[in-house]
Amino acid sequence: MAAVASNKDDSKGGLRAAGRLLCIVAALLIGLALHGAWRLVGRASPWPRRFLRRVAVVLGADIRIVGQPLRRDVMIAANHLSWFDILLLAGTAGTRFVAKAEVAALPLVGWLAGLNRTLFVERGDRLGVGDQVAAIRSALADGQPLAVFPEGTTGDDLSLLPFKPALFAALVPPIPGMRVQPVRIDYGAAADDLAWLGSDPGDAHAKRVLRRPGRFAVTLHYLTPFDPADYPDRKALAAEARARIAAS
């Protein structure tokens, strides 16, 4: 009986994953057509971020926003548990992201990231740190919110890791009018299922999310922004952003 129940569960999970993939493909095709139309008439396209939010909803997310996300002139610093974080931040605040250069070469993922104006940097190139900081600073000055994950990794458990200060160097000296907005992403009871931890292979994690039954509540706490000009250096900025997320 247990084997029969397991087979039924596997079958349901497979059908659920297939249905979700079909919905995502349909959303992608519609989004690409609308994105192209917007670009054709010279308008800034909202469709990449709308598509990413739709993917999160298809995968079961019921999104709740606490606080007010800034829509421009802001670096968003968030805790990091999964690639799902990208769907949520882009879908609710219209952010672009900083990612490793290797992501650009990934099939489909790299292309989609490019459509959302992801900034690709060579993080392992110590000699190019100055160029990376300049590129991030230029992207911030462009106006669109830029999201970073200062933990640098999703870690081995659900705890909040120390924030690496490197990316905050783009705010030293401060850019006039720029703010830092810490964000805490809370998956609630679904955190264990959705977190991408340790050495869990990416394809296995994606399959698990696609097959996961039911819906789940996720809350994005957009905390009070602060002025980087009030802090002496990148280490102080990283510490302040982390302290606000931890306190929330």
Side-chain angles (χ1 to χ4, degrees):
M1 293 295 291
V4 172
S6 177
N7 289 336
K8 286 184 178 179
D9 288 343
D10 287 344
S11 177
K12 288 181 179 179
L15 288 173
R16 187 179 300 113
R20 284 173 169 168
L21 283 173
L22 285 174
C23 289
I24 291 170
V25 170
L28 176 61
L29 294 176
I30 294 170
L32 285 174
L34 293 169
H35 175 72
W38 254 247
R39 295 297 299 272
L40 191 63
V41 297
R43 295 178 60 185
S45 172
W47 294 104
R49 62 179 179 268
R50 291 181 180 179
F51 165 71
L52 293 174
R53 179 165 183 152
R54 182 60 186 166
V55 172
V57 172
V58 167
L59 292 176
D62 292 324
I63 303 169
R64 177 172 177 252
I65 298 173
V66 176
Q68 182 64 46
L70 296 184
R71 297 296 181 180
R72 59 176 296 111
D73 300 325
V74 59
M75 175 186 279
I76 287 176
N79 61 310
H80 194 26
L81 285 178
S82 170
W83 49 266
F84 218 106
D85 304 338
I86 294 170
L87 308 179
L88 298 169
L89 290 173
T92 58
T95 59
R96 60 193 297 197
F97 297 88
V98 178
K100 296 183 294 185
E102 294 92 324
V103 173
L106 293 176
L108 185 59
V109 173
W111 177 66
L112 288 172
L115 286 181
N116 197 51
R117 304 182 70 216
T118 296
L119 182 64
F120 299 107
V121 298
E122 295 281 357
R123 291 188 181 177
D125 181 10
R126 292 181 178 275
L127 296 178
V129 170
D131 291 338
Q132 295 172 25
V133 169
I136 295 171
R137 192 173 174 88
S138 176
L140 286 167
D142 188 43
Q144 183 179 356
L146 180 71
V148 298
F149 299 111
E151 290 170 282
T153 178
T154 55
D156 294 317
D157 56 40
L158 301 179
S159 61
L160 184 65
L161 300 174
F163 276 16
K164 298 178 180 179
L167 295 175
F168 292 95
L171 297 174
V172 182
I175 300 171
M178 189 64 56
R179 296 292 183 269
V180 176
Q181 185 168 34
V183 178
R184 181 168 70 88
I185 304 173
D186 180 8
Y187 290 98
D192 287 329
D193 291 341
L194 296 170
W196 186 11
L197 305 176
S199 58
D200 191 12
D203 56 348
H205 182 266
K207 181 179 178 181
R208 187 167 69 248
V209 173
L210 281 165
R211 295 169 65 94
R212 185 183 185 278
R215 304 194 63 77
F216 62 93
V218 55
T219 304
L220 286 88
H221 298 264
Y222 283 89
L223 305 176
T224 303
F226 63 89
D227 189 342
D230 294 335
Y231 299 84
D233 54 35
R234 61 181 186 170
K235 291 183 179 180
L237 288 170
E240 179 64 18
R242 187 186 185 282
R244 293 190 181 208
I245 291 174
S248 72

